[in-house]
């Protein structure tokens, strides 16, 4: 179930990945936690699978949030 990694974030020794992957001839957007086993990342069951057809909607929602955050000054957690 590995595919094209779009984004990766390390947190407390684990890795969260957003990737486009396929399973049973269907393509999905996966946001999943991975863990290290020796030198290899392995996926966990923790995460969310989103139909690839909704990727545009997710992209637009993130864009809308970013535009509104620029004007309202969000707590970005950085």
């Amino acid at each position: 179930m590995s595919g094209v990694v779009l984004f990766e974030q390390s947190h407390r020794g684990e890795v969260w990945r957003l990737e486009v992957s396929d399973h049973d001839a269907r393509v999905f957007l996966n946001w999943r936690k991975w863990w290290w086993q020796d030198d290899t990342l392995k996926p966990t069951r923790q995460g969310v699978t989103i139909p690839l057809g909704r990727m545009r909607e997710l992209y637009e929602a993130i864009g809308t949030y970013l535009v509104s955050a620029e004007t309202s000054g969000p707590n970005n957690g950085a």
Side-chain angles (χ1 to χ4, degrees), residues 9-41:
Q9 173 68 37
S10 295
H11 181 69
R12 296 183 179 174
E14 298 167 322
V15 176
W16 283 89
R17 277 187 175 173
L18 178 63
E19 71 177 0
V20 176
S21 60
D22 63 273
H23 182 70
D24 290 336
R26 296 180 2 205
V27 183
F28 298 95
L29 187 63
N30 272 311
W31 179 249
R32 190 150 313 281
K33 187 184 339 185
W34 294 63
W35 61 283
W36 288 100
Q37 182 179 33
D38 301 319
D39 291 334
T40 306
L41 274 174

Side-chain angles (χ1 to χ4, degrees), residues 66-74:
L66 290 174
V67 168
S68 69
E70 288 174 359
T71 60
S72 65

Side-chain angles (χ1 to χ4, degrees), residues 6 38 51 65:
L6 302 176
D38 301 319
Y65 169 77

Side-chain angles (χ1 to χ4, degrees), residues 48-64:
V48 177
T49 301
I50 302 166
L52 191 61
R54 297 202 62 196
M55 189 172 179
R56 167 89 36 212
E57 185 180 345
L58 177 61
Y59 172 80
E60 290 171 357
I62 292 170
T64 299

